[in-house]
Amino acid sequence: MAIKSTIFKANVQIADIDHSYYADHALTLARHPSETDERMMVRLVALSLQAHLLQDVCNGDGVLAFGAGLSNPDEPDVMLTDFTGRKRLWIEVGQPEEKPLLKACSKADQVMLYVFSSSGDVWWKNMQNKLIKPTSLQVWRIPTSASQDLAKLAERSMQLQATVQEGVVMMSNGKTTVDIECERWK
């Protein structure tokens, strides 16, 4: 019998000062049995960082949601779809192979990858020349210490505040705050 995903609920108050975006998001995250709390929380941070695109790209008429992720490798971890069904943003988390990333670039207007594990530097060294061509792809590095601290915020029911200012995300549960400053690799 297959192990089912664990469901997490997160109410996230996003205050993106950099983009003048302020909204509350009631989110459901399905954590695949092979997914860690760290990876799941990085997905949540990626969504928080790009939530402003709901307004900036879709004028409020779109859907920002988690994809099937590890359950379906043909779907993104996070996606922004406009009212016509067009994929405006495709977000991946981790260290995917080259082919799925290039395929994503053909399916969405913009693709963002958030690398977070300690082996990310080695992965990027091997991948950066293979990923030069797609102009719609951005690659970001989340410091390993920050992603590990994020994992400690994971609970089945979460009340979180995400503040984005000067490119830094401050994710807080009211008791603990994790500062995440992403480094752009591409």
Side-chain angles (χ1 to χ4, degrees), residues 3-6 31-36 71:
I3 300 172
K4 295 183 179 182
S5 293
T6 304
R31 192 188 71 200
H32 189 272
S34 66
E35 184 175 34
T36 63
S71 298

Side-chain angles (χ1 to χ4, degrees), residues 72 126 131-132 160 175:
N72 183 348
N126 292 323
L131 299 175
I132 288 174
L160 301 168
K175 295 177 241 170

Side-chain angles (χ1 to χ4, degrees), residues 145-147 149-151 153 168-172 176-180:
S145 59
S147 65
D149 289 344
L150 275 173
L153 298 180
V168 177
V169 184
M170 292 160 275
M171 186 68 76
S172 174
T176 306
T177 300
V178 179
D179 293 344
I180 305 120

Side-chain angles (χ1 to χ4, degrees), residues 24-177:
D24 294 343
H25 291 264
L27 303 166
T28 300
L29 293 101
R31 192 188 71 200
H32 189 272
S34 66
E35 184 175 34
T36 63
D37 285 345
E38 181 180 16
R39 186 181 190 284
M40 179 188 70
M41 294 302 288
V42 169
R43 286 194 293 139
L44 190 57
V45 166
L47 182 143
S48 299
L49 277 167
Q50 303 308 321
H52 69 92
L53 294 175
L54 264 170
Q55 190 60 48
D56 295 351
V57 172
C58 297
N59 296 317
D61 199 2
V63 176
L64 182 64
F66 294 106
L70 293 175
S71 298
N72 183 348
D74 292 330
E75 277 197 33
D77 290 311
V78 179
M79 68 184 125
L80 173 62
T81 309
D82 69 15
F83 73 97
T84 67
R86 180 176 166 186
K87 289 203 180 356
R88 305 303 295 253
L89 176 65
W90 182 297
I91 296 176
E92 290 290 336
V93 169
Q95 299 172 23
E97 295 294 322
E98 164 195 8
K99 285 182 182 177
L101 275 176
L102 296 175
K103 190 174 181 181
C105 290
S106 70
K107 291 182 175 183
D109 295 350
Q110 187 174 14
V111 177
M112 293 191 175
L113 170 63
Y114 289 89
V115 179
F116 63 91
S117 77
S118 57
S119 61
D121 296 328
V122 173
W123 173 87
W124 181 238
K125 222 177 220 184
N126 292 323
M127 292 295 286
Q128 68 185 80
N129 289 334
K130 298 174 185 177
L131 299 175
I132 288 174
K133 211 170 198 176
T135 57
S136 62
L137 174 66
Q138 291 183 21
V139 180
W140 294 87
R141 172 72 154 125
I142 293 178
T144 303
S145 59
S147 65
Q148 290 171 346
D149 289 344
L150 275 173
K152 297 172 189 169
L153 298 180
E155 297 177 6
R156 294 287 299 272
S157 179
M158 298 178 270
Q159 299 290 325
L160 301 168
Q161 297 80 40
T163 304
V164 182
Q165 186 172 16
E166 296 179 8
V168 177
V169 184
M170 292 160 275
M171 186 68 76
S172 174
N173 64 3
K175 295 177 241 170
T176 306
T177 300

